[in-house]
Amino acid sequence: MEEKIITSNQPEAPAKKKRIFSAIQPSGQMTLGNYLGAIRNWVEMQDEFDCVYATANLHAITVRQDPKKLKENTVNLFALLIASGVDPEKSIFFHQSQVAAHAELAWVLETYTQFGELSRMTQFKDKSARHADNINAGLFTYPSLMAADILLYQADMVPVGEDQRQHLELTRDIAERFNGIYGKTFVVPEAYIKKNAARVRNLLDPSKKMSKSDPNTKSFILMTDEPATIMKKFRSAVTDSEASVRYAEGKDGINNLMEIYSACTGKSYEQIEDEFRGKGYGDFKTAVGESVVAVLEPIQIRYKELLSDKKHLEELARNGAASAERIARRTIEKVYKKVGLVR
Ligand code: TRP
């Protein structure tokens, strides 16, 4: 209880916890991979750190969006994360577009980001290849906006997967560059190595990451998949011809299922091997499916409840945004003053 009094909703309180910032783009459905690799980690970090979380909807418009769909995806993501355990009482949680300082700081930071640096970003290269008809300036300067997200809150740490590591490196370079010119303005953020993030693979081709953009829907589990669908998808997951549940090289399908089962039950690989010694893959797949349903079903129930009260969701986001705004304002005022921008 005492913990609650000094949490992040009151940035003025003498909380000396390290601050974390993270955001997720509202790009549609979330997969089991997103949950076990990132979302669950957001939930866990709340007890140890002062967390600021956002839906990254300003980032999402770097690829063309249907306005209605974008809004719906954004609200759904917000609800899904709360259903997963992101707690607005413990953390600051809001929509990026609600706090104008993100766009304001992004503009300033763009002028401290070099064309050459942005040209080297692998995500830009990938995305511009995939959206060749819309290589807009925002897609190019996306990393400066991401730097603004992080630096606005003076975050000490950012939990990053492989795909965002390069962006965090650039954020650090921008922060150091700005601090070098104007004196200490920004905390230079570190990468936070996630404690227990599972790397969930494609169920039909475990050489690939699980991704909702895969054309075969049997290759991924959505967080909102019905229990029966989840069971069916696990039944069709690829395995191998050895018929022995053990973690080993060359057994990518089984390794992936073991990783998922371990993440959902807390059992070690050794315990899993013992549990299924002498049993077939059918039994194992059923157990994996059931463990996933046990994790996702309660989230799905809360998610539906939350979505049935849009007003409440709006209020939660508005409150989160107000808390975010208080921190962000301080940073933006400091930056404008240093750069010599008239207020
Ligand atoms: N670019 C991140 C992604 O696509 C989302 C994001 C936006 C983010 N701003 C951030 C992640 C700040 C960490 C910190 O996954």
Side-chain angles (χ1 to χ4, degrees), residues 194-266:
K194 302 174 196 171
K195 279 203 191 104
N196 63 355
R199 296 154 71 91
V200 178
R201 321 295 307 175
N202 181 308
L203 295 180
L204 299 178
D205 178 1
S207 70
K208 297 190 225 157
K209 218 168 104 170
M210 180 179 283
S211 162
K212 64 165 189 292
S213 44
D214 191 281
N216 192 337
T217 58
K218 283 186 177 162
S219 73
F220 55 80
I221 304 286
L222 295 177
M223 285 182 73
T224 52
D225 273 344
E226 297 280 340
T229 309
I230 295 173
M231 296 305 293
K232 217 189 303 163
K233 286 180 177 180
F234 277 109
R235 267 192 301 263
S236 63
V238 296
T239 51
D240 52 58
S241 54
E242 190 198 34
S244 124
V245 177
R246 58 188 190 97
Y247 200 96
E249 199 158 323
K251 289 173 69 73
D252 294 352
I254 287 295
N255 294 348
N256 186 35
L257 295 179
M258 286 179 74
E259 171 121 10
I260 293 169
Y261 190 58
S262 169
C264 290
T265 61

Side-chain angles (χ1 to χ4, degrees), residues 286-335:
T286 301
V288 178
E290 283 169 354
S291 75
V292 170
V293 170
V295 166
L296 293 184
E297 211 175 18
I299 295 174
Q300 295 176 352
I301 292 167
R302 283 197 294 274
Y303 176 61
K304 280 196 196 116
E305 276 167 16
L306 283 160
L307 283 181
S308 69
D309 190 351
K310 292 275 164 54
K311 284 273 165 298
H312 179 56
L313 282 174
E314 275 170 31
E315 189 185 316
L316 291 175
R318 214 179 314 115
N319 290 343
S323 301
E325 177 82 31
R326 281 195 286 278
I327 306 173
R329 264 304 122 203
R330 257 183 274 155
T331 304
I332 201 79
E333 289 307 329
K334 199 153 86 171
V335 167

Side-chain angles (χ1 to χ4, degrees), residues 21-25 42 52 54 56-60 62 96 101-107 109-110 113 118 121 123-124 127 138-155 157-172 174-175 186-187 189-191:
F21 182 88
S22 195
I24 300 183
Q25 286 197 54
W42 277 31
V52 181
N57 54 352
L58 295 175
H59 280 92
T62 55
Q96 188 184 27
H102 288 257
E104 292 172 294
L105 183 60
W107 172 251
L109 295 184
E110 278 173 41
T113 312
L118 293 173
M121 295 293 118
Q123 186 172 298
F124 171 70
K127 283 201 180 172
L139 191 67
F140 189 62
T141 60
Y142 176 118
S144 304
L145 175 59
M146 181 161 155
D149 298 341
I150 298 165
L151 300 180
L152 262 184
Y153 299 98
Q154 308 290 353
M157 290 182 303
V158 181
V160 278
E162 253 343 288
D163 62 326
Q164 296 300 315
R165 205 162 279 270
Q166 201 185 21
H167 289 159
L168 182 62
E169 260 326 297
L170 181 58
T171 300
R172 290 169 54 84
I174 295 170
F186 298 121
V187 169
E190 311 260 346

Side-chain angles (χ1 to χ4, degrees), residues 270-285:
E270 229 183 355
Q271 287 171 316
I272 299 170
E273 286 168 8
D274 286 344
E275 184 178 350
F276 293 96
R277 188 152 299 132
K279 294 191 184 150
Y281 286 161
D283 289 343
F284 180 49
K285 286 175 166 185

